Amino acid sequence: MNDMVRLVDVYKSFGDLEVLKGINLSVKPGEVVCVLGASGSGKSTMLRCLNHLERITSGEVYIENNLIDKRKDDKDLVDIPPERIQALCIELGMVFQGFNLFPHLTAIENVMKAPILVKKVSHEEAKSKAVELLKMVGLEDKADEYPSRLSGGQKQRVAIARALAMEPKIMLFDEPTSALDPELVGEVLEVMKKLAAAGMTMIVVTHEVGFAREVSDRVIFMDAGVICEEGTAQEVILNPKEERTKSFFNKIL
């Protein structure tokens, strides 16, 4: 079975700060991988390297076995046309911590925008799909509301619908509930559970340990730019082997 995404010996530095230190990760079709770890461990940077929002310093990045980045010491080793990279990155839907909705567009317009601009679908087709997706995330009655009139949980559900509108093969979630009030977290996690149950390939950077235990096929624990431990939720969260992992989960469980 081909990998949906793969990172090979990936390093990432910002100036003198080395954030990723040799990351190796592959995710299979339909797999739900939750990435846990303390703030500053490199989790979000790893996601951003996967979808080319950040260029890696060294290593290789693949989407569906297609190379999209190969570098050493901040220099390209392979010349890949930008349009090819863009075509591959469209396969990855990204949901950010801060929603990133266009404030001047209604919920439905936010969902319609990328398919019309990037995929050149008709206005009618984009609208029909957007209505369907807003219904899926439980927001069909908020289609004509602007983001300023939506709660944090509603904004994040619109953001999920917007990512799905591009029909991605894999969804990346970067701490999608960390900016939400506690009582709004559940409504976003329910949508994500629905996606997982439908077979969507997902990489979820999260602090929601309960969600990771319930939904993930595999849990990855990161610390100081490396993957310390990976396995099932049972293995990593409830029976960790590494001292750093044990210390982390002892504090939060």
Side-chain angles (χ1 to χ4, degrees):
M1 190 188 289
N2 289 338
D3 296 325
M4 290 299 284
V5 293
R6 186 156 41 104
L7 296 174
V8 180
D9 204 25
V10 165
Y11 287 77
K12 174 63 184 174
S13 297
F14 296 96
D16 293 335
L17 178 65
E18 195 173 45
V19 178
L20 299 179
K21 304 169 186 173
I23 296 290
N24 290 287
L25 172 69
S26 58
V27 178
K28 302 290 183 199
E31 195 175 16
V32 177
V33 175
C34 285
V35 186
L36 302 174
S39 296
S41 57
K43 308 182 300 295
S44 296
T45 300
M46 181 178 76
L47 275 196
R48 293 174 68 85
C49 286
L50 252 180
N51 68 1
H52 227 256
L53 287 176
E54 298 286 356
R55 296 297 306 279
I56 60 176
T57 301
S58 295
E60 300 168 24
V61 182
Y62 296 84
I63 297 175
E64 291 193 285
N65 284 355
N66 295 292
L67 184 70
I68 69 157
D69 221 357
K70 182 169 183 172
R71 308 186 93 205
K72 185 161 178 61
D73 300 329
D74 266 329
K75 293 183 178 64
D76 292 335
L77 299 180
V78 178
D79 187 25
I80 304 166
E83 58 275 13
R84 177 163 172 73
I85 292 169
Q86 184 190 15
L88 289 166
C89 286
I90 284 173
E91 305 290 1
L92 309 181
M94 180 90 169
V95 176
F96 299 88
Q97 185 176 339
F99 323 130
N100 289 15
L101 298 178
F102 295 112
H104 63 291
L105 299 180
T106 63
I108 196 164
E109 288 167 345
N110 264 284
V111 178
M112 292 166 62
K113 183 98 174 159
I116 290 171
L117 278 182
V118 181
K119 288 197 159 182
K120 310 299 181 195
V121 308
S122 70
H123 184 275
E124 293 71 27
E125 188 185 337
K127 186 168 186 178
S128 169
K129 180 78 177 171
V131 167
E132 188 186 306
L133 287 168
L134 287 175
K135 187 171 185 180
M136 192 207 91
V137 300
L139 289 174
E140 62 269 42
D141 59 332
K142 300 290 184 185
D144 298 321
E145 296 284 7
Y146 287 91
S148 60
R149 293 177 56 84
L150 299 175
S151 71
Q154 290 168 338
K155 287 178 193 170
Q156 195 59 293
R157 285 186 281 154
V158 172
I160 293 171
R162 181 182 60 181
L164 291 171
M166 290 295 285
E167 299 181 328
K169 293 183 178 175
I170 181 166
M171 285 286 284
L172 309 178
F173 292 89
D174 187 9
E175 300 195 20
T177 60
S178 62
L180 302 179
D181 293 332
E183 69 270 20
L184 302 176
V185 167
E187 65 191 51
V188 174
L189 294 181
E190 279 308 313
V191 172
M192 292 168 66
K193 285 176 192 172
K194 241 199 278 190
L195 283 177
M200 174 61 79
T201 310
M202 294 163 58
I203 304 177
V204 185
V205 168
T206 184
H207 292 297
E208 300 292 336
V209 176
F211 174 83
R213 284 173 64 177
E214 186 180 343
V215 177
S216 68
D217 298 300
R218 188 156 43 113
V219 168
I220 285 168
F221 179 76
M222 286 183 69
D223 182 58
V226 299
I227 294 174
C228 292
E229 198 160 345
E230 65 178 294
T232 64
Q234 178 76 21
E235 289 164 345
V236 176
I237 297 171
L238 300 179
N239 300 291
K241 296 182 179 67
E242 301 295 326
E243 285 309 316
R244 179 66 189 95
T245 321
K246 286 179 187 173
S247 158
F248 178 83
F249 288 114
N250 281 343
K251 281 176 188 159
I252 64 170
L253 291 178

